[in-house]
């Protein structure tokens, strides 16, 4: 990242290689939509490019980039909601997304579905620590909260996942 | 297999999908956009931002002291105490601002600053004033209204100082911009409140604590909202 800030184009390619898989997977999990995730990858890197001089040399890059991505996602979601409300105000009601009604056929699928049902703050804490592989401290940084809060969210999220899995094992979707 | 095991096992399955490579055309687009006009870029360092923020704050207070300061009397003693107390808290606040966009462990400390410093400032003012001036006049109708010009001037000056500091720290905090913005608002509020205090005709405890304290609350709220817009990259 330091070499990129100093104007080295090759360093950016290395940075992309290092950061993009985690960023793309994280955004895919947030959006659950490939196109939106790709758009947000571009938006995030554009913001990284614009704000590269404010990067604190020596600080971990991935939490910094993921925090920018997360904020971009929520901004985009807020704007999309506002647009939807405008449409509704004009009398054109947007079509609701169809909910999958099949029973999940394996534990992983059931877990995926249970994760989607978790409140945003629990889900994000679990995804960043368990999937993206950030430490609790880095996750706290990305979410703008304390380490204690992250541990609490992961714990509560796990409890909810456990009860969802129990329901799955008993055969109810 | 217990449920804890099955969660871990299933999470491991999902983890395997957690490092997906973005499509090559996306990579090409991003790389070309981010490297075609790449030049070395040096922004203000964290230390320079802190120094400029401190200079803006102390410069404004000094200017207001020169313009509005009075000769030595009991009132002036209260105001000098106020300035000293505000200066101490402002220095603490600058330390918190210096962690903007960095250390994850500092979030708790910064929250504590945001809650405790206004209480310490208003409480300190009321305590000092109460010991030096009688608290009898504040609730008289003509005195209560003095809160308005005082408060609005402090608010205006605080907003200008906060705005300046906010611009200095623009695009530096993707992590907790609302909190950083609120701290910037608090710093501006302290400057406005202390600075206007030099010209304020009423240094009674209630007036100082409530009238000038409301400025802090308003600027913290404003800073929170503006910080979310201006501070993230």
């Amino acid at each position: 990242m330091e070499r990129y800030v100093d104007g080295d184009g090759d360093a950016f390619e290395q940075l992309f290689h290092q950061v993009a898989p985690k960023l793309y997977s994280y955004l895919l999990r947030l959006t659950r939509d490939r196109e939106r995730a790709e758009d947000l990858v571009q938006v995030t890197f554009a913001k990284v490019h614009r704000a590269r001089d404010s990067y604190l040399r020596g600080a971990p890059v991935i939490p910094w980039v993921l925090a920018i991505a997360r904020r971009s996602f929520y901004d985009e979601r807020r704007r999309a909601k506002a647009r939807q409300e405008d449409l509704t105000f004009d009398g054109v009601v947007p079509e609701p997304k169809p909910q999958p009604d099949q029973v999940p056929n394996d534990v992983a699928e059931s877990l995926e579905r249970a994760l989607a049902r978790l409140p945003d703050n629990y889900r994000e804490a679990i995804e960043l620590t368990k999937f993206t592989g950030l430490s609790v401290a880095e996750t706290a940084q990305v979410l703008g909260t304390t380490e204690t809060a992250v541990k609490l969210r992961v714990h509560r999220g796990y409890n909810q996942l456990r009860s969802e899995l129990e329901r799955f094992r008993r055969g109810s979707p | 297999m217990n449920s804890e095991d099955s969660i871990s096992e299933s999470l491991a399955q999902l983890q395997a999908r957690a490092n997906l490579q973005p499509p090559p055309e996306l990579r090409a687009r991003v790389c070309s956009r981010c490297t075609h006009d790449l030049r070395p870029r040096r922004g203000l360092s964290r230390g320079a931002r802190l120094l400029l923020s401190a200079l803006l704050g102390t410069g404004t207070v000094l200017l207001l002291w020169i313009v509005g300061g009075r000769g030595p009397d009991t009132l002036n003693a209260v105001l000098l105490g106020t300035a000293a107390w505000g200066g101490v808290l402002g220095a603490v606040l600058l330390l918190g601002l210096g962690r903007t966009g960095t250390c994850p462990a500092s979030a708790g400390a910064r929250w504590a600053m945001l809650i405790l410093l206004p209480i310490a400032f208003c409480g300190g003012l009321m305590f000092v004033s109460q010991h030096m001036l009688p608290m009898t006049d504040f609730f008289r109708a003509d005195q209560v209204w003095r809160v308005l010009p005082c408060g609005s001037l402090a608010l205006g000056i605080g907003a200008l100082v906060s705005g300046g500091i906010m611009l200095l720290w623009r695009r530096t905090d993707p992590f907790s911009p609302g909190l950083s913005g609120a701290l910037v608002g608090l710093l501006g509020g302290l400057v406005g409140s202390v600075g206007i205090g030099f010209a304020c005709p009423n240094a009674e405890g209630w007036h100082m604590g409530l009238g000038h304290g409301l400025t802090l609350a308003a600027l913290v709220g404003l800073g929170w909202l503006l910080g979310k817009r201006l501070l993230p990259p």
Side-chain angles (χ1 to χ4, degrees):
Chain A
M1 184 70 197
E2 281 92 341
R3 285 197 292 125
Y4 165 51
V5 176
D6 290 337
D8 183 346
D10 292 339
F12 179 78
E13 305 231 347
Q14 284 176 29
L15 178 77
F16 187 90
H17 182 72
Q18 185 197 341
V19 171
K22 277 188 195 286
L23 173 66
Y24 183 53
S25 307
Y26 173 63
L27 287 170
L28 265 179
R29 296 204 68 81
L30 276 181
T31 58
R32 295 171 194 280
D33 181 299
R34 191 169 289 270
E35 260 182 46
R36 278 179 69 203
E38 288 177 13
D39 285 348
L40 281 169
V41 167
Q42 290 194 69
V43 169
T44 304
F45 273 109
K47 287 184 176 178
V48 165
H49 183 63
R50 212 172 49 196
R52 62 190 187 277
D53 56 338
S54 75
Y55 165 74
L56 189 67
R57 285 169 187 258
V61 180
I62 288 180
W64 188 67
V65 175
L66 291 188
I68 294 173
R70 177 175 180 266
R71 208 150 283 283
S72 307
F73 165 71
Y74 282 111
D75 285 348
E76 189 236 38
R77 196 168 76 166
R78 202 168 34 245
R79 276 196 295 269
K81 259 188 190 164
R83 278 199 301 270
Q84 218 173 40
E85 277 165 12
D86 286 349
L87 279 178
T88 309
F89 186 69
D90 290 347
V92 184
V93 181
E95 288 284 318
K97 278 189 176 177
Q99 293 292 320
D101 52 359
Q102 299 141 324
V103 177
N105 53 17
D106 66 3
V107 181
E109 199 183 322
S110 164
L111 190 62
E112 185 81 77
R113 197 171 287 186
L115 268 171
R117 280 190 206 157
L118 286 182
D120 281 350
N121 51 355
Y122 294 176
R123 184 167 46 81
E124 278 191 298
I126 290 178
E127 285 178 349
L128 285 169
T129 49
K130 305 295 172 189
F131 298 142
T132 313
L134 299 190
S135 67
V136 172
E138 288 172 334
T139 305
Q141 200 176 15
V142 173
L143 299 179
T145 185
T146 60
E147 291 181 40
T148 315
V150 170
K151 286 178 191 163
L152 202 67
R153 288 176 194 180
V154 171
H155 175 72
R156 288 182 179 163
Y158 255 56
N159 283 344
Q160 282 200 23
L161 284 181
R162 197 174 294 126
S163 53
E164 290 284 342
L165 274 184
E166 282 302 320
R167 274 185 22 201
F168 164 70
R169 207 173 277 129
R170 278 190 249 112
S172 57
Chain B
M1 189 165 65
N2 65 32
S3 58
E4 195 73 50
D5 288 340
S6 56
I7 290 181
S8 304
E9 190 186 290
S10 309
L11 280 174
Q13 281 182 38
L14 294 180
Q15 267 167 1
R17 304 178 210 161
N19 265 317
L20 295 173
Q21 288 293 336
E25 60 274 14
L26 177 64
R27 181 195 174 102
R29 261 202 311 271
V30 170
C31 286
S32 91
R33 182 191 280 188
C34 293
T35 54
H36 84 278
D37 63 341
L38 193 59
R39 266 177 256 115
R41 195 147 158 191
R42 298 250 177 238
L44 281 176
S45 72
R46 194 158 289 267
R49 284 196 172 100
L50 271 178
L51 187 68
L52 287 172
S53 305
L55 282 177
L56 185 58
T58 46
T60 308
V61 170
L62 277 176
L63 188 70
L64 289 169
W65 180 61
I66 291 166
V67 173
R70 282 172 285 228
D73 57 4
T74 315
L75 190 65
N76 214 27
V78 173
L79 296 175
L80 282 176
T82 305
W85 185 225
V88 170
L89 298 186
V92 174
L93 202 51
L94 275 171
L95 286 179
L97 202 60
R99 311 309 290 258
T100 294
T102 56
C103 178
S106 66
R110 280 151 46 90
W111 272 110
M113 275 181 195
L114 188 63
I115 295 163
L116 295 179
L117 291 191
I119 295 173
F121 182 66
C122 297
L125 284 191
M126 291 180 80
F127 181 77
V128 174
S129 303
Q130 191 184 344
H131 278 75
M132 303 197 75
L133 295 164
M135 287 178 53
T136 51
D137 286 346
F138 178 72
F139 288 106
R140 273 178 24 214
D142 60 326
Q143 296 289 323
V144 168
W145 289 108
R146 285 190 174 177
V147 166
L148 278 181
C150 233
S152 42
L153 272 174
L155 194 67
I157 288 168
L160 283 177
V161 172
S162 301
I165 297 176
M166 194 86 80
L167 286 179
L168 277 173
W169 291 89
R170 207 157 72 112
R171 289 187 191 155
T172 55
D173 189 3
F175 303 115
S176 47
L179 177 58
S180 297
L183 289 175
V184 169
L186 182 55
L187 190 61
L190 270 181
V191 169
S193 197
V194 168
I196 284 301
F198 290 123
C200 176
N202 191 340
E204 193 185 307
W206 284 113
H207 174 87
M208 297 288 271
L210 292 180
H212 293 227
L214 287 176
T215 304
L216 296 190
L219 284 172
V220 164
L222 204 62
W224 177 274
L225 293 176
L226 280 179
K228 284 189 160 196
R229 292 212 162 263
L230 292 176
L231 295 181

